[in-house]
Protein backbone atom coordinates (compact mmCIF):
# COMPACT_ATOMS: atom_id res chain seq x y z
CA UNK A 1 0.00 0.00 0.00
CA UNK A 2 1.22 3.48 -0.87
CA UNK A 3 1.56 5.91 1.95
CA UNK A 4 0.99 9.64 1.60
CA UNK A 5 4.73 10.32 1.74
CA UNK A 6 5.38 7.85 -1.13
CA UNK A 7 2.68 9.49 -3.29
CA UNK A 8 4.12 12.89 -2.47
CA UNK A 9 7.63 11.75 -3.36
CA UNK A 10 6.44 10.26 -6.65
CA UNK A 11 4.65 13.51 -7.50
CA UNK A 12 7.75 15.55 -6.69
CA UNK A 13 10.02 13.18 -8.58
CA UNK A 14 7.76 13.29 -11.64
CA UNK A 15 7.92 17.10 -11.60
CA UNK A 16 11.68 17.27 -11.04
CA UNK A 17 12.69 14.56 -13.52
CA UNK A 18 11.90 16.58 -16.69
CA UNK A 19 13.90 19.53 -15.36
CA UNK A 20 16.90 17.30 -14.69
CA UNK A 21 16.72 15.67 -18.12
CA UNK A 22 16.35 19.06 -19.85
CA UNK A 23 19.51 20.32 -18.09
CA UNK A 24 21.37 17.18 -19.08
CA UNK A 25 20.11 17.55 -22.66
CA UNK A 26 21.30 21.14 -22.84
CA UNK A 27 24.91 20.04 -22.35
CA UNK A 28 24.72 17.50 -25.17
CA UNK A 29 25.09 18.51 -28.80
CA UNK A 30 21.87 18.68 -30.80
CA UNK A 31 21.44 15.91 -33.33
CA UNK A 32 22.45 16.49 -36.93
CA UNK A 33 19.01 15.62 -38.35
CA UNK A 34 17.48 18.27 -36.09
CA UNK A 35 19.76 20.98 -37.48
CA UNK A 36 20.13 19.59 -41.01
CA UNK A 37 18.77 21.97 -43.66
CA UNK A 38 17.25 24.26 -41.00
CA UNK A 39 17.19 27.20 -43.44
CA UNK A 40 14.61 25.50 -45.64
CA UNK A 41 12.62 23.82 -42.87
CA UNK A 42 12.36 26.76 -40.42
CA UNK A 43 9.32 28.51 -41.93
CA UNK A 44 7.36 25.25 -42.16
CA UNK A 45 8.10 24.14 -38.59
CA UNK A 46 5.37 24.52 -35.95
CA UNK A 47 5.93 27.46 -33.61
CA UNK A 48 6.39 25.21 -30.59
CA UNK A 49 9.09 23.21 -32.37
CA UNK A 50 10.82 26.44 -33.42
CA UNK A 51 10.76 27.69 -29.83
CA UNK A 52 12.05 24.38 -28.46
CA UNK A 53 14.92 24.31 -30.95
CA UNK A 54 15.85 27.92 -30.22
CA UNK A 55 15.75 27.32 -26.45
CA UNK A 56 17.95 24.24 -26.83
CA UNK A 57 20.44 26.21 -28.91
CA UNK A 58 20.32 29.10 -26.45
CA UNK A 59 21.05 26.74 -23.56
CA UNK A 60 23.98 25.29 -25.51
CA UNK A 61 25.32 28.79 -26.23
CA UNK A 62 25.35 29.63 -22.52
CA UNK A 63 28.29 27.27 -22.15
CA UNK A 64 31.60 27.43 -23.95
CA UNK A 65 31.20 28.23 -27.62
CA UNK A 66 34.09 25.89 -28.36
CA UNK A 67 31.81 23.00 -27.42
CA UNK A 68 29.25 23.92 -30.10
CA UNK A 69 29.41 22.01 -33.32
CA UNK A 70 29.78 23.94 -36.57
CA UNK A 71 26.24 22.97 -37.50
CA UNK A 72 24.91 24.35 -34.18
CA UNK A 73 26.80 27.61 -34.72
CA UNK A 74 25.40 27.99 -38.22
CA UNK A 75 21.87 27.16 -37.07
CA UNK A 76 22.05 29.62 -34.15
CA UNK A 77 23.29 32.38 -36.46
CA UNK A 78 20.64 31.67 -39.09
CA UNK A 79 17.80 31.55 -36.56
CA UNK A 80 18.95 34.80 -34.95
CA UNK A 81 19.79 36.78 -38.10
CA UNK A 82 18.38 34.89 -41.10
CA UNK A 83 15.92 36.32 -43.64
CA UNK A 84 12.74 35.02 -42.01
CA UNK A 85 9.96 36.59 -39.98
CA UNK A 86 10.33 40.39 -39.91
CA UNK A 87 13.57 40.21 -41.91
CA UNK A 88 12.00 38.21 -44.73
CA UNK A 89 12.49 39.56 -48.23
CA UNK A 90 9.31 40.79 -49.90
CA UNK A 91 8.05 38.52 -52.68
CA UNK A 92 8.67 39.65 -56.27
CA UNK A 93 6.16 42.17 -57.59
CA UNK A 94 5.47 43.83 -54.24
CA UNK A 95 6.94 47.18 -55.30
CA UNK A 96 4.89 47.16 -58.50
CA UNK A 97 1.67 46.50 -56.58
CA UNK A 98 2.49 49.35 -54.21
CA UNK A 99 3.18 51.72 -57.13
CA UNK A 100 -0.09 50.79 -58.84
CA UNK A 101 -1.99 51.23 -55.58
CA UNK A 102 -0.54 54.70 -55.05
CA UNK A 103 -1.29 55.67 -58.66
CA UNK A 104 -4.86 54.42 -58.30
CA UNK A 105 -5.28 56.39 -55.06
CA UNK A 106 -3.99 59.61 -56.66
CA UNK A 107 -6.19 59.12 -59.73
CA UNK A 108 -9.24 58.49 -57.55
CA UNK A 109 -8.59 61.60 -55.47
CA UNK A 110 -8.12 63.74 -58.62
CA UNK A 111 -11.37 62.35 -60.05
CA UNK A 112 -13.26 63.17 -56.85
CA UNK A 113 -11.70 66.66 -56.75
CA UNK A 114 -12.69 67.31 -60.39
CA UNK A 115 -16.24 66.06 -59.82
CA UNK A 116 -16.67 68.33 -56.80
CA UNK A 117 -15.28 71.32 -58.74
CA UNK A 118 -17.67 70.64 -61.64
CA UNK A 119 -20.67 70.38 -59.32
CA UNK A 120 -19.72 73.47 -57.30
CA UNK A 121 -21.56 76.76 -57.58
CA UNK A 122 -19.93 79.56 -59.54
CA UNK A 123 -17.73 82.06 -57.71
CA UNK A 124 -19.70 84.78 -55.88
CA UNK A 125 -20.18 88.13 -57.60
CA UNK A 126 -17.95 89.80 -55.01
CA UNK A 127 -14.94 87.94 -56.41
CA UNK A 128 -15.07 89.58 -59.87
CA UNK A 129 -12.45 92.17 -60.82
CA UNK A 130 -15.08 94.84 -61.54
CA UNK A 131 -16.82 94.47 -58.18
CA UNK A 132 -13.53 94.72 -56.27
CA UNK A 133 -12.46 97.84 -58.23
CA UNK A 134 -15.85 99.43 -57.48
CA UNK A 135 -15.29 98.59 -53.79
CA UNK A 136 -11.94 100.45 -53.96
CA UNK A 137 -13.65 103.52 -55.42
CA UNK A 138 -16.34 103.41 -52.72
CA UNK A 139 -13.67 103.25 -49.99
CA UNK A 140 -11.86 106.24 -51.53
CA UNK A 141 -15.09 108.24 -51.68
CA UNK A 142 -15.84 107.40 -48.02
CA UNK A 143 -12.24 108.35 -47.05
CA UNK A 144 -11.67 104.94 -45.36
CA UNK A 145 -8.39 104.64 -43.40
CA UNK A 146 -6.95 108.01 -44.42
CA UNK A 147 -3.64 107.56 -42.55
CA UNK A 148 -2.26 104.29 -43.99
CA UNK A 149 -4.98 102.77 -46.13
CA UNK A 150 -6.57 103.25 -49.53
CA UNK A 151 -7.53 106.90 -48.88
CA UNK A 152 -4.05 107.97 -47.76
CA UNK A 153 -1.76 110.16 -49.86
CA UNK A 154 0.59 108.19 -52.14
CA UNK A 155 -1.12 104.82 -51.53
CA UNK A 156 0.24 102.23 -54.02
CA UNK A 157 -1.47 99.03 -52.82
CA UNK A 158 -4.23 97.06 -54.55
CA UNK A 159 -6.91 97.87 -52.00
CA UNK A 160 -9.48 95.09 -51.85
CA UNK A 161 -8.66 93.72 -55.32
CA UNK A 162 -7.77 90.03 -54.89
CA UNK A 163 -8.22 88.48 -58.29
CA UNK A 164 -6.35 89.34 -61.44
CA UNK A 165 -7.83 90.80 -64.61
CA UNK A 166 -10.73 88.84 -66.00
CA UNK A 167 -12.04 87.52 -62.63
CA UNK A 168 -11.11 84.39 -60.68
Amino acid sequence: MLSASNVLRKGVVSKIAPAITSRAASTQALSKPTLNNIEKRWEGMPLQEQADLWMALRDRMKGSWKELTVQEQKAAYWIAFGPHGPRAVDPPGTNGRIAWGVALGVLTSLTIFGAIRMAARPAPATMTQEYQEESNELLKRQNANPLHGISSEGYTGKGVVQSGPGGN
Side-chain angles (χ1 to χ4, degrees), residues 8-23:
L8 182 61
R9 277 190 216 129
K10 285 185 179 182
V12 170
V13 169
S14 66
K15 289 180 182 174
I16 294 175
I20 293 170
T21 56
S22 67
R23 282 192 202 133

Side-chain angles (χ1 to χ4, degrees), residues 73-129:
Q73 292 173 358
K74 286 181 180 179
Y77 180 83
W78 192 87
I79 291 170
F81 302 109
H84 56 85
R87 292 177 302 277
V89 178
D90 291 331
T94 300
N95 292 337
R97 284 196 312 272
I98 291 171
W100 279 110
V102 169
L104 182 64
V106 169
L107 183 64
T108 302
S109 63
L110 288 174
T111 303
I112 292 171
F113 176 76
I116 290 172
R117 292 286 291 181
M118 287 177 63
R121 296 181 183 151
T126 58
M127 291 303 294
T128 63
Q129 180 83 19

